[in-house]
Amino acid sequence: MTIRSRRETVKFKHPFRIRGIERTLPAGTYEVVTDEETIEGLTFSAYRRIATMITVPAEGACGATEMLSIGSIDLANAQAADASITND
């Protein structure tokens, strides 16, 4: 079984929350890593997502970061909520 990691950068314009993280995160740019594994036994290459993680500022530690596991749907929901906020 082969595992691949995909990295992407996401940007939030407003402070936001993601289900599973117990605090509000500040607006900014975040790295998201998605791990996928091959689906064996097919006649074509296919992958299934096995983990999604986001790198966030560590709570209480100046300049430190931590990588937290999140749901991909929860990330999409947070991005949609951020995009729907109007600037007054």
Side-chain angles (χ1 to χ4, degrees), residues 1-84:
M1 187 174 306
T2 304
I3 295 178
R4 69 179 183 186
S5 292
R6 198 169 32 89
R7 295 180 182 274
E8 68 178 305
T9 302
V10 296
K11 185 172 185 174
F12 288 92
K13 295 179 182 178
H14 308 93
F16 66 101
R17 292 187 62 96
I18 293 180
R19 194 176 80 168
I21 299 177
E22 299 300 321
R23 64 184 188 268
T24 300
L25 298 169
T29 302
Y30 292 83
E31 180 181 45
V32 174
V33 178
T34 302
D35 289 341
E36 301 169 318
E37 67 182 0
T38 55
I39 300 173
E40 303 289 331
L42 300 176
T43 58
F44 56 91
S45 295
Y47 292 84
R48 84 173 123 242
R49 182 179 311 121
I50 57 173
T52 303
M53 296 153 288
I54 188 168
T55 302
V56 301
E59 193 170 24
C62 187
T65 61
E66 59 184 329
M67 186 173 278
L68 302 175
S69 182
I70 58 171
S72 58
I73 293 173
D74 299 326
L75 175 61
N77 289 343
Q79 289 176 293
D82 185 65
S84 72

